[in-house]
Amino acid sequence: MLNTILDRLKTIFSIDLRSLALFRVGLAVMIIADLISRARDLSAFYTDTGVLSRTESIANSHFLQVSLYWISGNQWIIGGLFAFAGLVALLLGLGYRTRLMAILSWILLLSLQNRNPFFLAGSDNLLLVLSFWAMFLPIHAQWSIDAALNKHVQRDCNKPAAVDNKYFSIVSVAALLQVAYLYFFTAILKTGDPWRVTMDAAYYAVHLDQFATLFGLWIRDFPILLTIGTYFVWWLEILMPFLVFSPIYHVPLRLLAIALLVMMHGAFFLSLKIGLFPFIDFLSLTLFLPAAFWGWINRQVRSDARDKVVIYFDRDCGFCRKTCLILRTFLLPTSTPILVAQDTPSIYAIMERENSWVVKDHQGNTHIHWEALQYLFTLSPVFKPLGWLMGRPSLLRGGNRIYKWIALNRGRMGDLSERFLPYRKLDTNLGWAGTLAAAYSLYVVTSINISGIDQWSISKPQHVALTEKVLRLDQKWNMFAPYPLTLSMIPVIPGKLRDGTEVDVYQMQMTPPTWDYPEILPYDYKNYRWRKYLGRVQSSDNNRIRSGYGGYLCRQWNSRDIPKDEQLATFEIHFKMLRTLPNYAKREARTQRVWIHWCFEEFAQK
């Protein structure tokens, strides 16, 4: 009986190693996309001349929080850290020294969020939390450079790896529960009438002008669809853990839940401008993909062309051997033979004549040089478009030149591969210290989520609160909870120059600002991070945010090469707002002033 229960738990809380590999690649892509998104406002958000200097950032942080971005306020150094973080994420995606890259990625992302927390959203919290759990998971066990150069193939390229794709441990339990918490607790937090009584939460969401896309504006005219959408979102979120962890009909119910959640996030993406959030949610769901899904994928991509290809390499070229192993890992079935060319006289003759490796296809044709590499890429269902591109005449000529240079420098490439691409033992065992850390982290995130439910009146232990702050394991999944926002708004910032001319500071224009409420509001915000930050400026009681933004606007205007009379002297920060009313009632715009700022002491209010 006990063994039966344990086997069932293993089935429910195991993660397929191929799902972990997909998760690793998706995590790397999301980190790089996040860096690109942030880099557009690198100077504004991360340098000393931006909205939050390092001094203010440190003063705003817990004394145990750290950030590598505090080492400098210089734009070029910060840009260098961004580039380094992108390189680490790329190596993470390739699975090169994966655990080290996962740790570095988490530290760099943690540092980035500690540098300026004033515009962080739920997507930022989720990405950091997923990066945290990635450090503990064996995300390197499949489709990685680490897996390709597993020490067990050092002597025999074709020795099958004794790897069970089913991974079960306290870490797999923790990672799956973490994702389930995201959905379950956000539903619990949605206590407002729009979610529980009137069922018009979707109506209010798409009427937030600063969030709504063009599709969101269009769907406003279909109240029945919005009501159905409200029911769909709340019930799916509350039922999600029961569907994915069901002990009966486990695989069908899990696949059904994943499909419904993908539909939900797809609807969010079409209707609302919420940055990377839907894609990071897609990423989290990859952890739930069962072995049956990968079995179906394998059946779809099987073909003689893929199953019967053979790769031949030069016995005396260690670099060539490792390259073949890596290519097989990413492009071909693991059963693809990798053979020594010298053992087959006809193949060896081609290698000697052409100074090239040899790939034999399922029809017995041979491929050499760059064209052989291009052919292998065309066999991959993922990289086939890249293979087609590699075969274009201009790239084919350039690729052959690159190949010939590498062939003439095998010795040097071999030395580099010995140093940077050594064979390593592929170990999926976390060890007792890592297991204890993962178990404690699961306890912490569970406590955070439970104590975050106000109606349950459960206090958060002090050691849990401290761990949450230091590691930024924020778990308040309260987007559109307890009810959706109802206030649409746009900043209006009139200013005066030294000579008394009125200007538009928000748009950085010499003309007076317009006070008309725009028809399509989202396009008046630079991006969703500025929208979040300006929302903090409007709503926050922390004047440090408003003062920081005011100082930034002064520097932006006055750092230009302009006459002294055209320097910005004072300005006021206003917000033009519309509150959404029930049942499509007409909205009336109102204006709220939140801040007065002066750029020079001589203009300070007396």
Side-chain angles (χ1 to χ4, degrees):
M1 179 67 176
L2 183 61
N3 288 336
T4 302
I5 294 174
L6 184 59
D7 289 341
R8 180 58 62 180
L9 287 175
K10 286 183 177 180
T11 299
I12 293 172
F13 287 103
S14 292
I15 306 178
D16 194 284
L17 293 180
R18 293 161 292 186
S19 300
L20 286 174
L22 180 60
F23 172 76
R24 183 196 75 239
V25 174
L27 179 63
V29 170
M30 286 297 99
I31 290 174
I32 292 172
D34 181 64
L35 288 167
I36 293 172
S37 171
R38 293 173 184 268
R40 294 178 297 174
D41 302 299
L42 185 148
S43 178
F45 288 146
Y46 305 104
T47 68
D48 284 345
T49 58
V51 299
L52 186 69
S53 68
R54 283 175 296 157
T55 302
E56 290 292 322
S57 175
I58 294 170
N60 184 69
S61 302
H62 188 274
F63 75 97
L64 289 178
Q65 288 178 331
V66 295
S67 173
L68 295 174
Y69 289 86
W70 287 337
I71 64 175
S72 175
N74 180 273
Q75 182 172 346
W76 289 102
I77 294 177
I78 299 300
L81 282 171
F82 268 61
F84 177 66
L87 175 62
V88 169
L90 177 62
L91 294 175
L92 173 66
L94 293 173
Y96 175 75
R97 301 201 176 187
T98 312
R99 199 174 297 281
L100 174 61
M101 296 305 150
I103 293 171
L104 289 176
S105 288
W106 176 74
I107 291 173
L108 288 161
L109 188 56
L110 175 73
S111 296
L112 195 57
Q113 296 195 7
N114 281 341
R115 175 60 181 86
N116 192 340
F118 289 149
F119 55 81
L120 297 181
S123 58
D124 300 302
N125 296 339
L126 181 56
L127 184 60
L128 185 61
V129 166
L130 293 177
S131 298
F132 175 81
W133 289 113
M135 297 188 294
F136 298 94
L137 291 164
I139 56 177
H140 61 303
Q142 291 280 12
W143 303 334
S144 68
I145 293 175
D146 291 344
L149 302 182
N150 188 353
K151 206 169 183 65
H152 89 280
V153 297
Q154 187 170 3
R155 292 181 179 274
D156 182 0
C157 291
N158 302 300
K159 181 179 180 181
V163 177
D164 181 4
N165 278 319
K166 183 183 290 188
Y167 172 73
F168 173 77
S169 74
I170 186 64
V171 187
S172 66
V173 174
L176 294 177
L177 284 176
Q178 173 67 87
V179 180
Y181 289 167
L182 164 66
Y183 292 99
F184 181 75
F185 284 99
T186 193
I188 295 296
L189 287 167
K190 290 172 177 172
T191 57
D193 285 353
W195 289 108
R196 304 289 185 91
V197 181
T198 57
M199 306 307 292
D200 52 3
Y203 161 84
Y204 285 105
V206 297
H207 275 82
L208 281 173
D209 294 334
Q210 65 266 35
F211 282 87
T213 64
L214 292 177
F215 179 82
L217 296 176
W218 173 78
I219 206 172
R220 288 178 180 179
D221 295 329
F222 300 91
I224 295 178
L225 290 179
L226 295 175
T227 301
I228 293 173
T230 302
Y231 277 105
F232 176 71
V233 169
W234 192 85
W235 279 105
L236 180 57
E237 289 175 342
I238 200 73
L239 292 175
M240 183 270 188
F242 303 99
L243 293 173
V244 297
F245 296 133
S246 172
I248 59 172
Y249 300 111
H250 174 66
V251 172
L253 287 178
R254 177 168 287 193
L255 289 174
L256 173 64
I258 293 172
L260 293 175
L261 289 166
V262 167
M263 287 174 55
M264 181 181 76
H265 291 299
F268 290 166
F269 172 74
L270 290 174
S271 304
L272 303 170
K273 286 183 172 292
I274 47 179
L276 295 174
F277 196 80
F279 303 102
I280 298 173
D281 276 306
F282 292 152
L283 167 64
S284 70
L285 294 175
T286 61
L287 295 173
F288 288 94
L289 291 172
F293 170 81
W294 295 111
W296 179 81
I297 291 292
N298 286 336
R299 290 191 296 273
Q300 302 308 306
V301 301
R302 285 199 65 177
S303 65
D304 285 345
R306 280 175 54 79
D307 293 342
K308 296 183 179 181
V309 68
V310 183
I311 303 174
Y312 296 90
F313 70 97
D314 182 1
R315 176 189 287 119
D316 302 321
C317 178
F319 165 75
C320 304
R321 191 175 191 273
K322 291 177 179 177
T323 301
C324 292
L325 288 168
I326 292 172
L327 289 173
R328 179 176 67 181
T329 296
F330 286 105
L331 304 177
L332 300 166
T334 55
S335 59
T336 300
I338 298 177
L339 306 176
V340 175
Q342 284 87 340
D343 293 342
T344 306
S346 60
I347 297 296
Y348 183 52
I350 297 174
M351 188 189 78
E352 285 286 280
R353 184 179 69 249
E354 301 291 343
N355 191 25
S356 171
W357 68 327
V358 180
V359 172
K360 182 189 288 187
D361 63 28
H362 66 294
Q363 295 177 331
N365 301 317
T366 57
H367 307 263
I368 57 174
H369 300 144
W370 176 266
E371 190 267 335
L373 180 65
Q374 181 259 336
Y375 173 70
L376 293 185
F377 270 84
T378 62
L379 295 179
S380 167
V382 176
F383 296 105
K384 190 170 185 176
L386 183 58
W388 176 86
L389 187 63
M390 292 166 64
R392 298 307 88 199
S394 58
L395 289 181
L396 195 59
R397 289 192 297 270
N400 280 324
R401 284 195 290 269
I402 293 172
Y403 183 88
K404 289 177 181 178
W405 182 89
I406 292 175
L408 293 173
N409 291 273
R410 290 181 184 178
R412 188 185 307 174
M413 300 300 291
D415 292 339
L416 289 173
S417 70
E418 282 298 312
R419 181 175 181 182
F420 296 106
L421 292 172
Y423 292 100
R424 296 176 180 275
K425 182 181 179 182
L426 185 68
D427 191 3
T428 59
N429 183 23
L430 191 59
W432 66 268
T435 301
L436 287 176
Y440 174 73
S441 300
L442 173 58
Y443 155 71
V444 167
V445 299
T446 303
S447 298
I448 295 170
N449 278 285
I450 292 175
S451 60
I453 307 300
D454 295 333
Q455 60 267 35
W456 292 359
S457 301
I458 299 175
S459 60
K460 185 187 303 180
Q462 187 174 358
H463 62 278
V464 169
L466 180 63
T467 305
E468 178 186 15
K469 279 188 174 296
V470 173
L471 301 182
R472 276 206 176 274
L473 294 174
D474 305 61
Q475 301 282 310
K476 192 78 170 181
W477 309 116
N478 60 346
M479 186 175 183
F480 295 136
Y483 40 77
L485 300 173
T486 58
L487 203 61
S488 300
M489 61 185 183
I490 188 71
V492 181
I493 308 179
K496 288 189 176 181
L497 307 182
R498 282 181 176 273
D499 63 6
T501 302
E502 186 177 7
V503 295
D504 186 344
V505 181
Y506 180 66
Q507 301 290 350
M508 288 288 158
Q509 295 177 355
M510 292 290 291
T511 56
T514 177
W515 293 87
D516 295 332
Y517 193 84
E519 292 184 8
I520 304 179
L521 186 56
Y523 300 104
D524 278 23
Y525 286 89
K526 186 177 179 182
N527 53 54
Y528 75 97
R529 295 198 183 280
W530 274 110
R531 182 190 68 209
K532 184 72 176 181
Y533 179 78
L534 289 168
R536 292 282 179 86
V537 170
Q538 185 272 332
S539 64
S540 178
D541 293 329
N542 181 359
N543 285 335
R544 180 179 293 166
I545 299 177
R546 292 166 177 165
S547 178
Y549 182 52
Y552 168 74
L553 291 176
C554 288
R555 288 187 293 274
Q556 284 291 103
W557 188 284
N558 294 329
S559 62
R560 299 179 297 182
D561 185 17
I562 54 176
K564 184 176 180 179
D565 285 349
E566 294 181 5
Q567 289 181 338
L568 183 62
T570 64
F571 58 87
E572 298 178 349
I573 300 177
H574 298 254
F575 283 87
K576 196 80 173 179
M577 297 180 291
L578 287 177
R579 185 171 298 280
T580 304
L581 302 174
N583 301 318
Y584 297 89
K586 184 179 179 181
R587 301 183 293 175
E588 297 292 339
R590 64 183 181 89
T591 304
Q592 176 190 15
R593 187 180 70 183
V594 300
W595 189 247
I596 301 174
H597 200 91
W598 50 90
C599 299
F600 302 99
E601 196 63 33
E602 63 196 87
F603 294 98
Q605 287 187 334
K606 305 302 182 182

